[in-house]
Amino acid sequence: MTGMRRFRTVEWEAVAGVVAAVVALVLHLLGVADEGVLLTVMLVLLALLLLSVVRGQGREQHVDEVLQSVAGDLAGVRASLTPPDTILVGPRSLRTQSERFARRARGDMTWFNVCLKMFLPQDLFDAMLRPAIENPEVRRIRFLLDERERARWTTQVLPKIQACTGAEKVEEPIWCSLPETLSFILTGTEEGSSEAHLSFWGEPFMSHSADRDVPRYVFHVLGHSELIGRLSDLERDYAGGASRP
């Protein structure tokens, strides 16, 4: 089939012109055809060449028109798409995405109303908090925590933090009276905006066990979402009325 397609695409005018030129040249060498015949053959060859060029330009113009039409359609589709404000991250990719989020963080990073029990296993601490502490692009990390987390912070979480490179960027927590409604991590990004991981206390977002509460689902809130402004307002409101040691 491939050979047949190639056979069909042969420029038969060019083949005929070449054959005619060869025949005319042979006849001229044999003394059968004079210069007039050769001149006629040359004119025919030039005409065939011009015809081939015109056809090629026509095909190229058609291809350009098709490509421009496709590009216009793609631009229209792209303009009609609305990027999502949030992306739901589930259990299978939560740890990977949490680590990636911490490594991409820039500037100031706030952990609001998180349950410190999730940092008790060393592997979870290493996946979620250590990458942020050791990220050189993060300048400051602060926690806004409920008063009931003080003892756990001092005895179980702070020693893990102090063993990390960059521990000095973690400030003493801001202690608040926080309702168990939501928790979030808010940080800057390399694009100059802010993003967040937002979760809620209780099922189905939080996995509860006797020894710890661990997020099961989080919403990755993107920088263009209106939620970012609201989360920043919550952070300022609680930090402004918080008690400090």
Side-chain angles (χ1 to χ4, degrees), residues 43-173:
L43 290 174
V44 172
L45 286 176
L46 289 174
L48 291 174
L49 177 61
L50 178 61
L51 178 62
S52 178
V53 170
V54 170
R55 286 183 176 179
Q57 289 177 344
R59 286 194 295 269
E60 291 176 0
Q61 182 179 1
H62 178 67
V63 171
D64 289 341
E65 291 174 353
V66 171
L67 290 176
Q68 291 175 3
S69 176
V70 172
D73 292 341
L74 289 176
V77 171
R78 188 181 300 111
S80 66
L81 294 177
T82 302
D85 285 352
T86 61
I87 300 172
L88 182 65
V89 180
R92 285 184 293 182
S93 59
L94 182 56
R95 183 175 299 195
T96 301
Q97 291 302 317
S98 296
E99 184 174 356
R100 180 174 180 270
F101 181 79
R103 294 191 186 282
R104 290 184 64 248
R106 298 290 186 273
D108 293 349
M109 192 177 197
T110 300
W111 297 66
F112 181 92
N113 200 26
V114 296
C115 179
L116 296 184
K117 288 182 180 180
M118 67 181 176
F119 295 140
L120 301 187
Q122 187 66 45
D123 61 332
L124 285 180
F125 177 88
D126 291 342
M128 299 187 70
L129 186 52
R130 182 186 291 274
I133 297 173
E134 298 186 347
N135 181 347
E137 301 298 330
V138 175
R139 296 190 305 267
R140 180 177 67 160
I141 298 175
R142 68 172 182 172
F143 287 79
L144 277 77
L145 299 175
D146 189 83
E147 292 278 359
R148 292 168 291 183
E149 297 282 359
R150 278 183 184 266
R152 189 173 291 114
W153 171 269
T154 303
T155 61
Q156 301 183 60
V157 178
L158 187 56
K160 289 186 173 69
I161 292 175
Q162 292 172 337
C164 298
T165 302
E168 67 280 356
K169 71 180 66 174
V170 182
E171 299 180 348
E172 174 66 21

Side-chain angles (χ1 to χ4, degrees), residues 190-242:
E190 59 186 355
E191 291 81 14
S193 60
S194 296
E195 293 185 357
H197 270 186
L198 170 65
S199 186
F200 297 88
W201 290 77
E203 292 287 349
F205 291 93
M206 193 76 72
S207 174
H208 177 74
S209 63
D211 58 339
R212 65 180 181 271
D213 295 331
V214 178
R216 180 183 294 151
Y217 294 93
V218 301
F219 288 105
H220 183 178
V221 185
L222 301 178
H224 61 271
S225 172
E226 295 180 1
L227 274 173
I228 294 295
R230 182 55 185 149
L231 296 179
S232 298
D233 291 342
L234 280 174
E235 175 193 352
R236 285 192 295 268
D237 290 345
Y238 277 97

